[in-house]
């Protein structure tokens, strides 16, 4: 159809686009940025670094640097490049990249040490990619927030991830703009943001002609029983107007049947790595739950693996 109106050249099925490698398998598709990440490691001299099992050391607390800036331009360049990977195929580094991005204007030695930890983790996991399968096409989400934060402004970090066919489709990790006074309030803010995203994704599915009808409500898992109890109540008894508006957002989407909310244990919440640093076992389990799997290692012309 395009050839009838334009001069075009058919390059066949897409295999590589904007730094993302697309691999077709018998069960579905695989997206990875192995080549892109390897270029980053080589460009900033981290390709031969010692691999690490987690992207962030949970025992390390980062704060604003009040001293002299350390290689600010290079720091911002690395964060920008890592953001591209975190936004498209690597939800497992979304939290730490967003956290380090808060210090772009004046990085310190501690911030550089944290970047080195991310690079060491990417050295170990450069071959990870999201594998989308053809079956069990059900959309569901996970919402979480970390209120017990030691950031300079005491604002919590919220996050969500939505899976389709058991693979991550949409995710976000972001510092909340509203100052929460309790865990329940921070979880309410995160749930409202996740509910809006769920409503948009459900609307997108409704626009796909071949998608099975009717499209059910999107189930969102939340690990806060207090927050679930609040949204099940028609009225919010708190005094903060900002939280009341978030409550109204969730209530409206629940009423029209766009979303459903259910409780899940914290250790099973896939949004957990989007709000805080986790130990190795949890990092591996949540990455697997989001569909991150090892791709086939790339080889050189003589058949030897590149890594």
């Amino acid at each position: 159809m395009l050839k009838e109106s334009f001069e075009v050249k058919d390059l066949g099925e897409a295999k590589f686009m904007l730094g993302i490698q697309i691999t077709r398998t018998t069960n579905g598709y695989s997206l990875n940025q192995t080549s892109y990440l390897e270029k980053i490691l080589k460009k900033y001299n981290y390709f031969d670094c010692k691999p690490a099992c987690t992207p962030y050391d949970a025992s390390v607390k980062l704060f604003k640097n009040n001293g002299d800036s350390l290689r600010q331009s290079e720091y911002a360049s690395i964060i920008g490049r890592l953001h591209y990977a975190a936004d498209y195929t690597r939800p497992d580094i979304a939290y730490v990249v967003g956290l380090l991005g808060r210090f772009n204007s004046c990085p310190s030695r501690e911030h550089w040490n944290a970047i080195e930890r991310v690079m060491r983790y990417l050295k170990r996991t450069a071959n990870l990619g999201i594998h989308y399968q053809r079956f069990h096409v059900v959309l569901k989400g996970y919402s979480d927030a970390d209120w017990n934060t030691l950031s300079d402004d005491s604002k919590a970090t919220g996050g969500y991830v939505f899976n389709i066919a058991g693979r991550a489709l949409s995710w976000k990790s972001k510092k909340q703009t509203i100052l929460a006074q309790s865990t329940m309030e921070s979880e309410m803010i995160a749930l409202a943001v996740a509910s809006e995203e769920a409503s948009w994704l459900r609307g997108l599915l409704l626009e796909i002609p071949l998608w099975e009808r009717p499209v059910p409500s999107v189930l969102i898992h939340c690990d806060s029983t207090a927050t679930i109890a609040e949204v099940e109540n028609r009225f919010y008894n708190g005094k903060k107007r900002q939280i009341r508006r978030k409550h109204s957002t969730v209530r409206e989407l629940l009423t029209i049947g766009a979303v459903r909310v259910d409780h899940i244990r914290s250790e099973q919440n896939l949004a957990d790595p989007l709000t805080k640093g986790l130990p190795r076992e949890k990092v591996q389990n949540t990455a697997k739950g989001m569909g991150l799997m090892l791709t086939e290692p790339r080889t050189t012309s003589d058949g030897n693996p590149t890594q």
Side-chain angles (χ1 to χ4, degrees):
M1 182 184 65
L2 290 174
K3 287 181 178 180
E4 293 177 356
S5 303
F6 307 97
E7 291 186 7
V8 296
K9 183 178 181 181
D10 186 2
L11 300 178
E13 294 182 337
K15 296 182 179 179
F16 200 84
M17 182 179 294
L18 300 176
I20 302 174
Q21 183 177 347
I22 305 170
T23 305
R24 289 166 174 80
T25 65
T26 55
N27 294 327
Y29 294 84
S30 172
L31 303 179
N32 71 80
Q33 291 175 281
T34 302
S35 298
Y36 176 77
L37 294 175
E38 288 179 351
K39 289 179 181 178
I40 295 177
L41 293 172
K42 292 178 180 179
K43 179 178 177 63
Y44 298 102
N45 300 319
Y46 287 104
F47 190 76
D48 296 324
C49 65
K50 182 179 179 181
C53 297
T54 60
Y56 179 62
D57 186 354
S59 64
V60 175
K61 304 301 179 183
L62 300 177
F63 297 96
K64 182 178 179 180
N65 178 26
N66 294 321
D68 295 332
S69 176
L70 182 61
R71 294 153 55 197
Q72 187 275 333
S73 179
E74 181 181 356
Y75 182 94
S77 175
I78 295 177
I79 293 298
R81 294 173 186 272
L82 293 180
H83 257 300
Y84 185 67
D87 289 344
Y88 282 88
T89 63
R90 297 301 299 267
D92 53 330
I93 64 171
Y95 167 72
V96 64
V97 173
L99 174 65
L100 294 174
R102 303 174 192 176
F103 311 105
N104 266 344
S105 60
C106 189
S108 66
R109 171 53 59 188
E110 289 73 20
H111 303 141
W112 272 104
N113 291 339
I115 277 190
E116 181 180 349
R117 179 62 174 258
V118 179
M119 293 298 198
R120 291 172 54 202
Y121 175 73
L122 291 177
K123 171 64 178 179
R124 182 184 181 92
T125 63
N127 283 336
L128 281 183
I130 302 180
H131 294 251
Y132 294 98
Q133 299 181 349
R134 298 178 180 271
F135 53 87
H136 299 310
V137 186
V138 177
L139 177 64
K140 63 179 179 179
Y142 300 82
S143 170
D144 194 24
D146 179 30
W147 180 65
N148 187 22
T149 178
L150 293 178
S151 61
D152 294 311
D153 53 11
S154 299
K155 290 182 179 178
T157 300
Y160 64 73
V161 57
F162 286 90
N163 279 10
I164 194 163
R167 305 297 184 258
L169 174 69
S170 174
W171 60 86
K172 176 178 285 188
S173 175
K174 186 178 180 180
K175 184 172 71 171
Q176 296 177 352
T177 58
I178 302 173
L179 183 60
Q181 301 296 328
S182 65
T183 300
M184 187 280 294
E185 289 188 357
S186 64
E187 294 277 2
M188 178 73 73
I189 297 169
L191 182 59
V193 175
S195 298
E196 292 175 339
E197 178 70 8
S199 178
W200 187 89
L201 289 173
R202 184 170 180 267
L204 177 63
L205 298 183
L206 287 170
E207 294 179 3
I208 300 178
L210 298 180
W211 202 267
E212 184 178 353
R213 299 292 193 276
V215 177
S217 303
V218 181
L219 177 62
I220 302 177
H221 295 291
C222 176
D223 57 11
S224 172
T225 55
T227 303
I228 296 176
E230 284 289 348
V231 298
E232 289 177 348
N233 191 345
R234 292 179 55 191
F235 303 101
Y236 178 70
N237 297 322
K239 297 181 179 180
K240 294 187 66 173
R241 187 178 69 172
Q242 299 98 323
I243 308 299
R244 185 181 296 111
R245 293 177 64 180
K246 298 298 181 182
H247 176 268
S248 299
T249 297
V250 181
R251 281 296 309 172
E252 179 181 358
L253 295 174
L254 285 171
T255 302
I256 65 177
V259 301
R260 294 181 292 126
V261 182
D262 191 17
H263 180 259
I264 191 173
R265 296 173 61 90
S266 296
E267 55 267 24
Q268 297 174 332
N269 193 343
L270 296 184
D272 210 25
L274 298 172
T275 63
K276 63 180 75 70
L278 297 176
R280 178 177 61 179
E281 184 177 358
K282 287 188 176 181
V283 169
Q284 295 174 348
N285 291 339
T286 52
K288 183 179 179 180
M290 289 186 284
L292 285 168
M293 301 173 60
L294 285 174
T295 59
E296 292 295 329
R298 300 188 301 115
T299 59
T300 59
S301 57
D302 58 0
N304 296 321
T306 57
Q307 293 192 72

